[in-house]
Amino acid sequence: MFVIVLLFIAMLFSLRYGAVTSKWSDVTQALLQFDPSNQGEQLVRYLRVPRMFSAVLVGAGFAISGALMQGITSNPIADSGLLGINSGAGLGLALVFALNGNPSPTAGIIGSLLGALVAILLIYLVSTRVSFGLSPVRIVLLGAALSAFFASISQSISLIFNLNQNITFWFIGGTGNVSMEQLQTVFPLILVGILGACLISPQVTLLSLGDETAIALGKKPNRIRQWSMLFVLLLAGTSVALVGTIGFVGLIVPHVVRFFVGHDYRYVIPASGLFGALFFSVADIASRLIAPPLETPAGVIITIIGVPFLLLQIRKGSL
């Protein structure tokens, strides 16, 4: 309940604060009795409302996808960004921009999902070929190699097709360019991913205890992984299409959540959604306030927090 209250406060602050601080009256009027002739209300309605909702959605999406990946791989540092899924989605976006300089939100999402699907299939095939008991560090190294490979291809496409201005935003990450049309396209997909993750969470808990435990209780580990990967695809792929290739949210948030709710994924997954939404919303607000009127990309802020967190996890010797 406390996290929900904090999230609600963060959402209100997201509507008011930025390079220009809006009045509370403008925020209220923009939500309840919008006056198109009022510039203050236009700022809130057309720029900050989409930013606020996108931060909540992708924060929850990245965090839940990270929790799922950690559960099905028994890898404490699994994250859609570290495993190359976000970079794969970014490559899909780059290809869409190369084919159409100004793609529709639907085309961008399809490209992002296809790119993320390629990354997920590569990780799944390699890890199952060797066994899912593959060392967490080796899986992360595989993800790092895939990330570098996809990022280099994306940059090459950007240079060849002169897409620097169009796609740089997605490489850095942030909510500044999100529109209501994009939100309406992405929302159903992220919602399906969140609901699916919550429904499969009891089986992920069994899988996190080991394949033998899951099989002894009549479950099929590979089937659980396949469904989980589908939900990771929906959550991470659509989130990248909306705000860019932001990593570390799915690494940081589940670890924080487990400190409060334990290791049962029936609680870890929904709690990760709430904490992830709060974390990303706060990072988005901070991105506007650190050096106004310039905006520091939210992806940079999260990376500054995420890299030391990753090093801390490695230093703890849990790998």
Side-chain angles (χ1 to χ4, degrees):
M1 183 61 70
F2 181 64
V3 176
I4 295 176
V5 172
L6 288 179
L7 177 59
F8 180 73
I9 293 172
M11 292 169 69
L12 290 179
F13 275 42
S14 179
L15 294 177
R16 185 182 183 192
Y17 293 102
V20 176
T21 300
S22 300
K23 301 176 182 177
W24 284 117
S25 59
D26 286 340
V27 173
T28 304
Q29 290 293 111
L31 296 176
L32 301 179
Q33 294 179 335
F34 177 56
D35 179 6
S37 64
N38 187 307
Q39 290 186 347
E41 294 180 26
Q42 288 180 17
L43 172 66
V44 174
R45 184 73 169 245
Y46 295 125
L47 295 179
R48 290 185 181 163
V49 167
R51 289 194 68 161
M52 180 263 290
F53 281 118
S54 64
V56 170
L57 282 177
V58 302
F62 280 133
I64 291 175
S65 67
L68 277 177
M69 291 296 292
Q70 291 169 19
I72 64 176
T73 62
S74 299
N75 182 345
I77 56 175
D79 168 66
S80 61
L82 291 175
L83 297 185
I85 297 171
N86 291 1
S87 294
L91 174 58
L93 271 175
L95 290 171
V96 170
F97 273 94
L99 295 173
N100 182 352
N102 187 25
S104 66
T106 302
I109 291 169
I110 291 173
S112 181
L113 288 174
L114 289 175
L117 177 61
V118 170
I120 286 176
L121 288 176
L122 286 173
I123 293 168
Y124 183 78
L125 289 174
V126 171
S127 57
T128 51
R129 183 73 59 103
V130 182
S131 104
F132 243 88
L134 200 63
S135 141
V137 171
R138 291 174 66 187
I139 289 185
V140 170
L141 288 175
L142 169 64
L146 287 176
S147 291
F149 177 68
F150 291 142
S152 63
I153 295 178
S154 299
Q155 293 286 359
S156 299
I157 292 172
S158 177
L159 290 172
I160 292 171
F161 291 91
N162 195 26
L163 302 176
N164 286 334
Q165 291 185 347
N166 290 342
I167 204 168
T168 297
F169 168 78
W170 273 274
F171 290 146
I172 298 174
T175 61
N177 291 342
V178 175
S179 68
M180 192 58 72
E181 181 184 2
Q182 290 173 305
L183 272 177
Q184 291 172 347
T185 306
V186 163
F187 176 74
L189 296 175
I190 294 183
L191 182 61
V192 169
I194 292 173
L195 292 176
C198 290
L199 289 174
I200 206 172
S201 59
Q203 299 181 58
V204 175
T205 300
L206 294 177
L207 198 60
S208 68
L209 299 175
D211 284 14
E212 296 79 6
T213 302
I215 293 172
L217 294 173
K219 304 298 181 182
K220 298 179 179 179
N222 285 337
R223 184 64 58 83
I224 298 172
R225 290 192 179 99
Q226 290 165 1
W227 277 106
S228 297
M229 287 291 192
L230 173 62
F231 299 135
V232 169
L233 172 65
L234 289 175
L235 293 167
T238 52
S239 295
V240 169
L242 199 61
V243 301
T245 55
I246 294 176
F248 293 107
V249 177
L251 169 67
I252 298 170
V253 173
H255 281 280
V256 174
V257 163
R258 289 190 193 96
F259 180 78
F260 294 100
V261 303
H263 294 269
D264 190 335
Y265 280 82
R266 291 177 299 174
Y267 307 112
V268 169
I269 285 177
S272 292
L274 288 174
F275 271 87
L278 175 62
F279 177 57
F280 201 101
S281 296
V282 172
D284 184 51
I285 295 170
S287 72
R288 308 177 220 172
L289 299 180
I290 288 176
L294 301 177
E295 183 168 321
T296 304
V300 172
I301 295 173
I302 293 172
T303 299
I304 291 173
I305 299 171
V307 170
F309 190 90
L310 173 61
L311 296 176
L312 177 62
Q313 292 302 312
I314 295 174
R315 182 177 175 82
K316 286 169 62 177
S318 59
L319 307 182

